[in-house]
Amino acid sequence: MSELSSIISASVFVIVIILIMSEKLHLTIAALLGALILIFTHTITLTEAVEFISKSHATLVLFFGVMVLIRSFEPTKIFEYIATKMVIIAKGRGKVLILGIIGITTPICAVLPNATTVMLLAPLIPPLAEEIGVNFVPLLILMVFVANSAGLITLVGDPATFIVGDAINMTFLEYLQKLTLGGIIAVVSVAIVAPILFRKIWNTKFTHLEDLPHPQVNHPRMLILGALIMVFVLTFFVIGDSLAIPISPASVALLGATLALLLAHHSKIDTVHNILRDVDWSTLIFFMSIFVLIGSLEKTGVVSHLSGILALVLGKNIFVGSILLVFVVGILSSVVPNIPLVVAMVPLLKEYLVNVNLVDSSILDPNYTGQLPPEVLPLFYAMMFGATLGGNGTLVGASSNIVAAGIAEQHGKIISFHTFLKYGLPIMTVQLIISSIYIGSFWLFK
């Protein structure tokens, strides 16, 4: 039965990915249907499915909280107001807007998770694009590329990076010293490629600035209180985990969302029903379903089996292994969301190191607090870069991609798998090649 369960689990996962890539089904329906098939074939139980979701509750709660927070302040028209100001400051030049998006997104993603940054900034893009007469979908995709790339600048910029860093007990300072440069290089590569990938927008020039609509900010007093809530949330995103009594980003986001709902209800600028109705439930259900699919692969031993294959292919050559891992994980991350991918890959990589006798079995303990041998660390660095930058490849590769697609859908446009792939495949290829050179440099200059 266990072998049959493994076959069912792997087959369902592959079929779901194919359905998403072919766009035969909406990605949420495909993932949810796959999760339900696993339950109805008794590959996993409903209780186990709920447990798989609960293991990633922090990600789901974070997304939900930020979605509610942003939606609560839509009636103030602040996003339209900022978008108009950005167009005026750029004097209608498309290339300045593109560089502006890169410049604004990068520092924020250095201190906030990239999907959170996309939730905060993406609502600016549709009105901004509308005012200069261009399609907002490429600009949203650009923001996603920058967000994913900038997530490598610090340990907390991308959930996938943090998961791997936490698994090897890496500190914030150690990350800055060893890997931040690689994140900066990744962002620079996006800026270099942008004039080619986004040529039409880069060359756009809106000349009639006086014809732009000039939206007024509504409910300014409520907006000031909302700004205080945002400052509170952003501050505790950064410092919450380091307090004597740690407060997780998910808890902070949920408190911020509750305060925003209270403010909206009390000021009567909107109703709680309207705000919760407009939450992007499709994105949240997609992630829940993906976590169930990945959990099933772990439970049925597919992940453990893959670790044996990894040991066979890589052997003990860490240099070659690290270079290969950048591309292998990068390609996998382009079809599997990088958060569940690294959750599955971390134990796989640790098992591989034990199997080839490079470390002892104590690292398999979830409560392991020691330091890994320096010579094996580049394998984990490769996983960070591969998972994060590989997420730029396709629509389902990273959580921020799915978030952007949800926001586009709310504004009346669909980011199709093929549309994203047209932009994502070139940037992913360039970034993985650069990253492999960067990871390889750890041997050249050690």
Side-chain angles (χ1 to χ4, degrees), residues 312-352:
L312 191 64
V313 172
L314 300 184
K316 289 189 176 183
N317 193 325
I318 301 298
F319 173 75
V320 174
S322 299
I323 303 300
L324 282 176
L325 210 57
V326 171
F327 291 99
V328 171
V329 174
I331 293 168
L332 285 174
S333 183
S334 68
V335 294
V336 182
N338 56 12
I339 296 174
L341 176 65
V342 296
V343 168
M345 284 289 294
V346 164
L348 187 155
L349 191 55
K350 286 186 173 181
E351 278 190 40
Y352 152 70

Side-chain angles (χ1 to χ4, degrees), residues 79-109:
F79 300 118
E80 289 88 341
Y81 178 81
I82 294 173
T84 302
K85 290 297 182 185
M86 284 180 67
V87 174
I88 292 172
I89 291 170
K91 296 182 179 178
R93 289 173 294 175
K95 63 182 177 182
V96 179
L97 285 176
I98 285 177
L99 294 174
I101 289 171
I102 295 172
I104 291 171
T105 307
T106 298
I108 297 176
C109 271

Side-chain angles (χ1 to χ4, degrees), residues 74-374:
E74 270 190 14
T76 64
K77 301 291 183 184
I78 185 60
F79 300 118
E80 289 88 341
Y81 178 81
I82 294 173
T84 302
K85 290 297 182 185
M86 284 180 67
V87 174
I88 292 172
I89 291 170
K91 296 182 179 178
R93 289 173 294 175
K95 63 182 177 182
V96 179
L97 285 176
I98 285 177
L99 294 174
I101 289 171
I102 295 172
I104 291 171
T105 307
T106 298
I108 297 176
C109 271
V111 293
L112 293 181
N114 46 18
T116 305
T117 303
V118 171
M119 285 183 206
L120 290 171
L121 296 182
L124 298 175
I125 300 298
L128 186 154
E130 185 180 344
E131 286 170 5
I132 63 171
V134 297
N135 184 0
F136 69 75
V137 167
L139 288 175
L140 270 183
I141 293 174
L142 169 68
M143 177 175 283
V144 164
F145 291 162
V146 178
N148 291 339
S149 304
L152 284 166
I153 291 177
T154 69
L155 185 62
V156 298
D158 186 287
T161 302
F162 180 79
I163 290 167
V164 179
D166 186 55
I168 59 175
N169 301 315
M170 188 177 215
T171 67
F172 192 89
L173 185 59
E174 284 173 340
Y175 189 96
L176 289 177
Q177 292 170 339
K178 295 179 179 178
L179 299 176
T180 290
L181 178 60
I184 294 171
I185 292 171
V187 174
V188 171
S189 70
V190 175
I192 291 172
V193 175
I196 301 169
L197 277 183
F198 305 97
R199 187 182 301 109
K200 184 177 178 181
I201 298 175
W202 183 272
N203 295 324
T204 295
K205 173 73 172 170
F206 185 85
T207 54
H208 302 290
L209 295 179
E210 66 279 1
D211 295 336
L212 284 175
H214 293 280
Q216 298 297 311
V217 174
N218 299 331
H219 316 289
R221 224 184 304 181
M222 293 304 104
L223 189 59
I224 292 171
L225 292 174
L228 293 176
I229 293 174
M230 288 298 298
V231 169
F232 164 79
V233 169
L234 294 175
T235 300
F236 279 86
F237 272 168
V238 177
I239 69 169
D241 281 326
S242 60
L243 297 175
I245 303 176
I247 305 173
S248 71
S251 301
V252 175
L254 205 53
L255 178 57
T258 305
L259 293 174
L261 283 173
L262 177 65
L263 184 61
H265 174 72
H266 180 73
S267 63
K268 294 183 170 53
I269 64 172
D270 210 337
T271 66
V272 173
H273 175 268
N274 285 345
I275 293 169
L276 293 180
R277 180 195 62 197
D278 292 341
V279 165
D280 189 1
W281 295 107
S282 175
T283 296
L284 294 175
I285 293 170
F286 172 78
F287 277 115
M288 291 180 196
S289 303
I290 285 292
F291 290 140
V292 171
L293 294 171
I294 294 293
S296 175
L297 293 176
E298 289 182 11
K299 183 220 170 184
T300 56
V302 174
V303 171
S304 181
H305 179 67
L306 289 173
S307 72
I309 296 174
L310 195 65
L312 191 64
V313 172
L314 300 184
K316 289 189 176 183
N317 193 325
I318 301 298
F319 173 75
V320 174
S322 299
I323 303 300
L324 282 176
L325 210 57
V326 171
F327 291 99
V328 171
V329 174
I331 293 168
L332 285 174
S333 183
S334 68
V335 294
V336 182
N338 56 12
I339 296 174
L341 176 65
V342 296
V343 168
M345 284 289 294
V346 164
L348 187 155
L349 191 55
K350 286 186 173 181
E351 278 190 40
Y352 152 70
L353 292 173
V354 172
N355 289 342
V356 295
N357 300 314
L358 287 171
V359 295
D360 62 65
S361 60
S362 64
I363 70 161
L364 300 178
D365 183 351
N367 299 315
Y368 177 75
T369 56
Q371 295 296 315
L372 273 66

